[in-house]
Amino acid sequence: MPNFKEKLIRYQYLIRNIRDFFYSHNVVEVVTPSLLVAPTTDVYIDSIEVSVNHALSKSTKFYLHTSPELEMKRLLSKGSGDIFQICQVFRDNEHGHINSNEFTMLEFYRVGFDMHQLIDDIKALLISLGNDDPVKEISYAEAFYEYAEIDILNSDFEGLKNILESHGLNSDYEWIEDIQMVLFVHLIEPKLKTIPVCFIYDFPKQQAALAQIDGLVAHRFEMYIKGTEIANGYQEIQTSKEYRDRFETELGKRKSLSKSIGSLDDDFLDDLKVGLPSCSGVAIGIDRLFTSLSL
Amino acid sequence: MNYSTSQFKNGMKLMLDGNPCSIVNNEIVKPGKGQAFNRVKFKDLITGKTLEKTFKSGESLEAADVMELEMQYLYSDGEKWHFMEPGSFEQFDLGEESMGTALNYLVEQDNCVVTLWNNNPISVSPPNHVTLEVIDTDPGLKGDTAGTGGKPATLNTGVVVQVPLFVAIGDRVKVDTRTNEYTGRA
């Protein structure tokens, strides 16, 4: 089966080229634990629980990491400088032709970079991987103006509900960010299918996740390749208190949806007390990158 | 009966905005930080238009009572087109607005597929290939047998199809009803 072997070798080249890119930029490769004491707090991401050491009568519950983000931020707070990692990550309740319970993630952090510098870094990475397709960069708000004539940042919950109804869509959503997302999926994403590489940046502050907020927007971005979401990145918040607040907000949302709730990762919050250096970081889905770029 | 998004598959017939629709394409979209959605392309079985809707995963839609039955085209009285289901001899009729392009291809006694919604006919699909008779076309050029050129020909249903130059009045020709193209002499 020459095609099968050829594909394995092409994948090997991709991983090798990614490593070469980071090594040549003095970004250090790290490995962090996959077994964590606390599940993710993300409202729409579910950790897979595992139980170990039962036969030793020392039963312990762990959660497979859904991304290496927090463990890598512990390293950053200890002075690691620029770091990257390529690892398997695990998520429950993911199913579809481009979603699965396990996938390969490239996660990296550049100290002193703001969001736009990190986007430039990803563009340089794509070029080093042999992709020289034109790249479009557009803010979340501009994308909504351009493709749907909607003022997404200044529309309130009721206003967005009306827009959903005018498109004949169910408007039974809990939070404004959910409506922003369904409108994005319905009206914007299909338009991105004709664009080779597109960065969408400055998400509405309600979708900040762990990105710095600046007025109505958060310095968060996503990269789409031919309409498929490939990467998600932030200009990172830096203090332990901000992390605790964001985690608690997410846990509150999980609670109101009657989803499983874990404890907060206090060790992480303790480690972060010295603060995260000013940095930006991104997670890139390697399997999707491999398929969509036909590398 | 309702179907949830997890049961959606191509060809499924569902009610949407009061009209029966058929699923053409069903895409699961799960934003990294968001909930899962189904972005679904439908064909409205009454208007024939395609439309796209996005549902949150877990939403459900009512099934449409749609049946596709093989029937024989009997005749037209000018206002209605009459069909018969050969098993039960039950007869159905459709107005011109529901006939669509089937008008161009059906001759009496032909078999076709009639779509029923709540036991009422809503559309007709002609067979993919039909044989029709040429009732008008310009005389062909002598010696042209390769069919490199083409000319319009009016067939016995009234439809006009491009045919090769050698085709003459009275010839029976095969037509692909999906593309309205001549595919050969019968």
Side-chain angles (χ1 to χ4, degrees):
Chain A
M1 293 196 290
N3 284 340
F4 175 69
K5 185 166 182 187
E6 188 198 305
K7 194 176 165 187
L8 288 179
I9 291 170
R10 277 193 292 119
Y11 189 81
Q12 175 195 245
Y13 274 121
L14 170 65
I15 301 295
R16 183 169 137 182
N17 288 336
I18 291 171
R19 289 203 158 103
D20 282 346
F21 175 83
F22 288 114
Y23 295 159
S24 70
H25 289 78
N26 298 314
V27 180
V28 176
E29 180 164 18
V30 297
V31 178
T32 57
S34 320
L35 294 178
L36 307 181
V37 296
T40 179
T41 55
D42 261 309
V43 56
Y44 292 121
I45 298 179
D46 297 325
S47 295
I48 295 176
E49 190 181 301
V50 291
S51 197
V52 299
N53 294 343
H54 192 69
L56 304 178
S57 304
K58 287 180 181 172
S59 230
T60 312
K61 226 193 266 179
F62 283 109
Y63 301 89
L64 297 177
H65 66 173
T66 58
S67 105
E69 178 169 8
L70 299 189
E71 293 300 309
M72 289 178 77
K73 284 178 174 171
R74 294 171 87 148
L75 301 181
L76 285 156
S77 72
K78 289 176 182 163
S80 67
D82 296 335
I83 48 176
F84 82 98
Q85 172 161 208
I86 297 169
C87 60
Q88 296 303 102
V89 296
F90 307 88
R91 295 178 179 187
D92 202 357
N93 303 317
E94 299 264 350
H95 175 75
H97 75 288
I98 56 165
N99 286 83
S100 75
N101 298 119
E102 173 176 357
F103 58 98
T104 309
M105 187 179 271
L106 160 65
E107 177 121 357
F108 70 96
Y109 292 86
R110 302 300 304 262
V111 174
F113 276 31
D114 66 16
M115 178 182 67
H116 289 288
Q117 288 172 301
L118 188 66
I119 290 175
D120 287 343
D121 208 33
I122 298 168
K123 283 153 64 181
L125 171 65
L126 290 180
I127 288 169
S128 80
L129 298 178
N131 181 276
D132 51 9
D133 285 332
V135 175
K136 179 170 175 135
E137 290 168 69
I138 185 170
S139 76
Y140 196 93
E142 285 163 359
F144 266 92
Y145 279 125
E146 185 173 328
Y147 298 124
E149 293 180 354
I150 293 172
D151 182 356
I152 196 73
L153 296 180
N154 297 299
S155 300
D156 62 10
F157 190 68
E158 286 307 315
L160 292 182
K161 269 190 146 181
N162 290 338
I163 293 173
L164 275 183
E165 280 158 17
S166 74
H167 284 93
L169 302 183
N170 186 344
S171 64
D172 177 25
Y173 288 93
E174 206 82 15
W175 301 291
I176 190 168
E177 53 272 34
D178 289 351
I179 304 190
Q180 292 163 349
M181 282 190 253
V182 66
L183 285 172
F184 191 88
V185 166
H186 189 66
L187 300 172
I188 312 300
E189 250 189 44
K191 303 281 172 68
L192 303 181
K193 287 185 177 177
T194 57
I195 304 176
V197 180
C198 185
F199 286 89
I200 308 266
Y201 61 88
D202 281 350
F203 275 55
K205 66 172 188 222
Q206 297 90 348
Q207 296 184 51
L210 300 178
Q212 284 183 11
I213 291 175
D214 180 3
L216 294 176
V217 300
H219 294 316
R220 172 183 165 195
F221 67 91
E222 287 188 342
M223 175 176 73
Y224 282 80
I225 296 182
K226 297 175 200 119
T228 301
E229 181 189 332
I230 305 284
N232 177 46
Y234 314 133
Q235 187 169 315
E236 307 287 352
I237 49 173
Q238 290 170 260
T239 67
S240 184
K241 185 185 175 311
E242 287 171 290
Y243 279 97
R244 179 181 289 278
D245 289 348
R246 302 278 173 102
F247 292 159
E248 280 174 351
T249 307
E250 290 288 295
L251 284 182
K253 289 185 187 173
R254 287 188 73 92
K255 202 168 174 181
S256 69
L257 294 177
S258 311
K259 293 183 123 200
S260 63
I261 310 243
S263 53
L264 284 187
D265 186 345
D266 287 320
D267 289 345
F268 170 78
L269 292 169
D270 277 349
D271 277 2
L272 261 274
K273 279 193 176 136
V274 296
L276 197 69
S278 154
C279 64
S280 291
V282 64
I284 298 179
I286 292 298
D287 316 84
R288 287 188 187 177
L289 184 74
F290 183 64
T291 331
S292 52
L293 287 182
S294 336
L295 292 169
Chain B
M1 172 119 163
N2 279 15
Y3 287 106
S4 120
T5 52
S6 61
Q7 298 168 295
F8 282 10
K9 54 177 184 231
N10 292 355
M12 191 177 258
K13 312 287 191 298
L14 299 165
M15 292 302 297
L16 205 62
D17 304 332
N19 275 9
C21 291
S22 171
I23 296 181
V24 178
N25 187 43
N26 172 34
E27 204 179 345
I28 298 171
V29 184
K30 163 78 175 75
K33 294 282 175 187
Q35 58 185 306
F37 301 103
N38 289 60
R39 191 165 50 213
V40 188
K41 210 172 266 175
F42 292 94
K43 185 180 179 208
D44 186 316
L45 296 175
I46 290 185
T47 65
K49 285 184 186 146
T50 8
L51 52 158
E52 203 166 83
K53 298 268 180 183
T54 300
F55 304 91
K56 51 175 162 179
S57 291
E59 265 189 71
S60 59
L61 288 180
E62 193 194 332
D65 178 12
V66 169
M67 272 191 304
E68 288 168 339
L69 292 181
E70 184 111 356
M71 294 200 197
Q72 190 176 47
Y73 168 51
L74 298 178
Y75 65 97
S76 165
D77 57 23
E79 279 182 15
K80 297 278 186 188
W81 278 255
H82 298 265
F83 296 83
M84 182 183 70
E85 205 274 293
S88 62
F89 301 109
E90 196 177 349
Q91 291 194 18
F92 297 87
D93 58 70
L94 284 92
E96 184 171 344
E97 71 287 352
S98 307
M99 287 294 292
T101 58
L103 275 177
N104 296 336
Y105 305 107
L106 286 182
V107 289
E108 292 175 9
Q109 315 302 320
D110 272 356
N111 288 327
C112 56
V113 173
V114 175
T115 303
L116 301 180
W117 171 44
N118 296 334
N119 218 35
N120 294 313
I122 52 173
S123 69
V124 181
S125 311
N128 290 341
H129 299 277
V130 291
T131 300
L132 298 171
E133 189 182 328
V134 177
I135 57 168
D136 189 31
T137 190
D138 286 340
L141 296 173
K142 246 186 198 148
D144 184 278
T145 50
T148 46
K151 60 180 181 178
T154 307
L155 310 183
N156 55 331
T157 54
V159 70
V160 177
V161 174
Q162 278 304 113
V163 298
L165 296 176
F166 59 76
V167 171
I169 293 174
D171 282 353
R172 291 175 61 75
V173 293
K174 282 190 239 169
V175 178
D176 186 322
T177 61
R178 294 160 297 183
T179 55
N180 196 43
E181 277 170 8
Y182 165 92
T183 59
R185 270 197 288 195

